[in-house]
Amino acid sequence: MPKLLQDPRKAGQPTLVLYDVQDDRRRTKVMNACKDYGLARWQYSAYHGRLTGAARRELETRLEKAMGDSPGLIAVLQLEQWQIDDATILHQEAEDD
């Protein structure tokens, strides 16, 4: 199991990372960077978790390098707790066949 680059005992701010990177190799680097900072996959191209300010800046630098000159978009959104608390999230599990 890889060592997390942020101490999970440090709460940090709710953070959402959204990405759309076309190159498979670079997209894998983006996913691995998010995982290394303790973020959890929310959707195929979205990760969420809590990051300190320093960890967020480090992750942003790593994501910028991972994307390189490949076309795409990466958004790192720092949220407030009230935004998480007030969010409406609709979720339904797929039925097993």
Side-chain angles (χ1 to χ4, degrees):
M1 181 170 176
K3 181 181 176 188
L4 295 178
L5 298 177
Q6 174 181 278
D7 185 343
R9 296 171 292 182
K10 295 182 179 179
Q13 288 291 113
T15 304
L16 179 61
V17 177
L18 308 170
Y19 60 92
D20 181 11
V21 178
Q22 295 177 7
D23 182 88
D24 290 341
R25 190 173 63 86
R26 293 188 183 274
R27 186 172 49 251
T28 298
K29 288 183 179 185
V30 169
M31 293 181 337
N32 288 335
C34 290
K35 291 177 190 177
D36 287 348
Y37 279 87
L39 301 179
R41 179 172 256 164
W42 195 17
Q43 291 186 347
Y44 184 73
S45 59
Y47 280 80
H48 71 97
R50 292 183 168 272
L51 294 176
T52 63
R56 191 188 83 243
R57 288 186 294 278
E58 290 173 9
L59 176 60
E60 288 171 350
T61 299
R62 187 166 164 192
L63 292 173
E64 187 174 10
K65 288 179 184 176
M67 190 164 155
D69 58 359
S70 180
L73 173 130
I74 301 174
V76 180
L77 307 170
Q78 182 174 323
L79 307 171
E80 297 294 330
Q81 188 59 48
W82 68 266
Q83 293 171 304
I84 302 297
D85 295 340
D86 287 352
T88 300
I89 299 172
L90 305 173
H91 175 78
Q92 183 170 320
E93 294 290 332
E95 291 183 21
D96 290 335
D97 290 335

